[in-house]
Every structure is written in C-alpha cells, then in structure tokens.
Amino acid sequence: MNKKPTISIIVPCYNEEKVVSLFLQNIEPILKNTKESYEIIFINDGSQDNTFKVLQELKDSYRHIRIINLSRNFGKESAMTAGLEFSLGDVIIPIDADLQDPPELIVKFLEKWREGFDVVLAKRADRKSDSFFKRKSAELFYKTHNQISNISIPNNVGDYRLMTRRVVDAIKLLPENQRFMKGIFAWVGYPTTTIEYKREVRIAGETSFNGWKLWNFAIDGITSFSTVPLRIWLYIGVSISFLSFLFGITIIIKTLIYGIDLPGYASMLTIILFLGGIQLMGIGILGEYLGRIYNEAKGRPIYIIEGEY
Ligand code: UDP
Ligand code: MG
C-alpha cells in the first residue's frame, strides 16, 4: 500500500483473540461497498492472549490491514493515540474490536462527511446493553463533568466517530500524557454533527472496563479538563472561616454575659474532626493534580511501539 487511503479505521485491541476475525468479516464488505480506498489499523495493546498472532495470520488474507504492536498494555486511550498518529487516511474512524460499534454506521458517517462535516459523532439512542450501574454512573459522570469543566462532552457519545484529517492533526498537537480522549476530541472542536445508533452487546470476550477502572477513568476525565475541584477549596475555606468567626464571637459574648462555662467537649471534638477531614480531602485533591503535573513533567512518550507489521 503506497497510496494514501481515504478511510483509516483504528481498532485498539486488548485480549480480543476471540473477536478480531469476526470483526474483520463484518467490516470488510461494508468498507468494500463504499468504493473508497481504506486501511484498517489494529493496535495490539499488549494483549496477554493470542490477539497478535491471530492478527498476523489474518494479514495474509486481508491486504488492507496494518498492525501496530505496542510493547506492553498502555490502555485504550494510548492505543487509540498510536492509531491516530499512524493513520494516513483523509477520514479517520476509531472503532472497538468487539462489534459493539456497528460497522454499518460507517456508510452514514461518510454521507455526513460528504455533506461537509469534520466530525460525525455516533450517539447511543439508549444504554440498554449496559448494566444498571454502568448506566447510572455514566449519567452522573457526564453531568458532573460538564457542569465543572470548560468543555462539554456530549452525552452518550463514545469514541466511535468519524474525524477528518485536519481534526486528527489538531488532536496530535495536544501533547498531554494522560489522555482522556473524550475530552480531547471535544476540545479541538470543528463542525460537528451527530447520528443515533443502538449499541450492541459484546459478541465475545470480556470488557476490560469495570468498577474501579471506570472510577479512575472518571477522575482522570474531570481532573484533565477542570480546575474546579481545586478552586472549590477556596470557597469551602472561606465559608468555614467565616462561620468559625461568627461562632467565636457568640462564644465571647456568651462568656461575657453568663461567665465561663466548661462543657463543650462534644462540640469541640466534632469541629476538630470535621475540619481535619476537610483538610485531608483538600490535600488529597491537591495531590491528585500534583500527581498529574508530575506525570506530565516527566514528558514520557504516550506509548512505545514494539513493531509495525
Ligand atoms: N482496549 C484496549 N486497551 C485496554 C482496554 C481495552 O485497547 O487496555 C480496547 C478493547 O480491545 C476494545 C475497546 O478498547 O476494542 C473497548 O474495550 P471494552 O470493550 O473492554 O470496553 P467497553 O465496551 O466495555 O466500554
Ligand atoms: Mg466493548
């Protein structure tokens, strides 16, 4: 493949040996039908199973595949970044390997692109294929994030989307190490439109995003694009100081009128514990941002490539 393709499909894969072949069988005919030239870039994100081997075997029968093999597991965001950087196409479409993102949508993506949009988002019409917990926590996350961040991430929109070359080139200008792609995508802007779709359940294999990982992902998301959690302590501090001041004055007045009175152990302890807790929380949040600064300051690469095949 010497010529630049029109479409670049980017597929991050972590332990997907069961699904990659099915994925290709599904997406190939659709891409062929578009009559455009295309490449499919698989990023093997340090899978512990045979994903890499399976991909290499598939390359014999599918000409349009490129495989980027990362040196270890860097996480989906980094894998996707690698894909974006290696893509050559005029339009770039990141998609999950597990067929949860229906490949048929690509046709609609291209229609919108021809109408002149730079970004076409795929919005989930409902979240029925997710567990109750994932649904509720996602809802809460989007709400909180958009309230306190200076960019707003569209609700129920994942990484599955079409982006033109200039959008991806803009994304490449964002050098941050901790990559919250949903935020980065939203940050670059450009004319955007949305189409709705129904997200399927995973065809095989297991999700690698559960409980604790999602929670950390949410914290990353918020601290990547908002400094409100830092600033909030200014207001909490001011309010508490003000209340303490009022409280101090009442105590003085009371003492002047009624004389010294010793009881007050309970209220004292409550206040000390309360303030202690608040201070620890504040320090914790400072630490969270300090950690981010530390990670960025090291300036390490976002991923390391073992090889391209
Ligand atoms: N993935 C990845 N690296 C990771 C975890 C996941 O490249 O560390 C890929 C995975 O192979 C899949 C996509 O990211 O193609 C979405 O992952 P998954 O289906 O587990 O997430 P969910 O759809 O449950 O949010
Ligand atoms: Mg999935």
Side-chain angles (χ1 to χ4, degrees):
M1 242 189 309
N2 321 323
K3 230 182 95 241
K4 277 189 184 176
T6 307
I7 308 172
S8 292
I9 304 286
I10 292 173
V11 200
C13 297
Y14 177 60
N15 295 345
E16 304 281 16
E17 58 176 5
K18 289 197 196 111
V19 303
V20 280
S21 155
L22 256 166
F23 169 80
L24 266 175
Q25 282 170 33
N26 269 276
I27 201 169
E28 264 276 325
I30 292 164
L31 289 171
K32 266 211 182 89
N33 265 333
T34 64
K35 305 278 188 292
E36 302 278 4
S37 54
Y38 61 90
E39 59 176 359
I40 305 177
I41 307 177
F42 287 97
I43 301 95
N44 178 36
D45 186 14
S47 300
Q48 271 127 33
D49 64 1
N50 287 320
T51 305
F52 184 49
K53 231 179 102 208
V54 177
L55 283 173
Q56 279 185 313
E57 283 163 15
L58 285 168
K59 201 177 153 78
D60 297 335
S61 27
Y62 295 90
R63 285 178 30 244
H64 306 282
I65 301 185
R66 291 166 66 193
I67 308 168
I68 313 282
N69 193 33
L70 301 188
S71 61
R72 63 170 170 85
N73 178 255
F74 283 89
K76 182 184 177 187
E77 314 290 297
S78 303
M80 210 150 53
T81 304
L84 293 180
E85 279 172 10
F86 275 79
S87 67
L88 299 169
D90 297 329
V91 299
I92 294 94
I93 303 176
I95 183 170
D96 286 0
D98 54 12
L99 286 176
Q100 282 193 284
D101 305 327
E104 304 82 63
L105 227 58
I106 292 174
V107 181
K108 287 194 195 159
F109 279 163
L110 293 172
E111 271 168 26
K112 290 285 176 195
W113 167 55
R114 291 190 187 107
E115 282 173 27
F117 288 102
D118 278 284
V119 180
V120 188
L121 304 176
K123 184 183 164 86
R124 305 172 62 167
D126 61 61
R127 279 188 163 256
K128 284 205 186 93
S129 58
D130 274 348
S131 68
F132 176 78
F133 175 73
K134 200 162 175 175
R135 224 156 49 213
K136 281 292 157 204
S137 53
E139 204 175 289
L140 187 71
F141 168 72
Y142 284 117
K143 241 194 202 144
T144 324
H145 184 280
N146 292 346
Q147 287 250 315
I148 67 177
S149 297
N150 25 30
I151 52 145
S152 112
I153 352 182
N155 222 331
N156 286 336
V157 165
D159 299 322
Y160 189 32
R161 62 187 59 216
L162 174 145
M163 292 171 284
T164 54
R165 171 59 37 204
R166 59 177 184 167
V167 175
V168 171
D169 285 345
I171 290 170
K172 286 201 264 179
L173 295 177
L174 274 69
E176 56 240 64
N177 237 284
Q178 284 142 49
R179 301 190 77 76
F180 180 64
M181 289 313 269
K182 284 186 180 67
I184 289 177
F185 286 152
W187 189 89
V188 295
Y190 284 106
T192 302
T193 187
T194 308
I195 49 183
E196 291 213 341
Y197 79 108
K198 188 173 162 292
R199 193 169 165 88
E200 304 297 334
V201 289
R202 209 173 220 288
I203 42 164
E206 264 168 44
T207 170
S208 31
F209 290 94
N210 272 322
W212 187 238
K213 210 169 161 185
L214 276 176
W215 168 251
N216 284 316
F217 190 52
I219 291 184
D220 271 356
I222 286 173
T223 51
S224 283
F225 285 93
S226 170
T227 47
V228 170
L230 285 174
R231 205 174 314 143
I232 205 171
W233 296 101
L234 178 64
Y235 297 105
I236 292 182
V238 169
S239 322
I240 290 181
S241 315
F242 182 68
L243 289 176
S244 320
F245 180 72
L246 289 185
F247 188 55
I249 290 193
T250 38
I251 291 180
I252 291 172
I253 293 173
K254 251 171 123 180
T255 315
L256 286 177
I257 297 174
Y258 301 106
I260 295 171
D261 115 60
L262 200 54
Y265 175 72
S267 58
M268 189 107 87
L269 200 63
T270 317
I271 289 166
I272 290 174
L273 289 178
F274 177 66
L275 283 180
I278 290 219
Q279 278 164 356
L280 283 179
M281 261 163 74
I283 294 173
I285 291 193
L286 280 178
E288 182 66 35
Y289 281 91
L290 191 68
R292 299 188 74 84
I293 295 169
Y294 174 60
N295 275 332
E296 295 297 344
K298 281 187 290 191
R300 290 186 181 162
I302 297 162
Y303 54 85
I304 299 282
I305 285 175
E306 181 275 322
E308 193 190 343
Y309 300 85

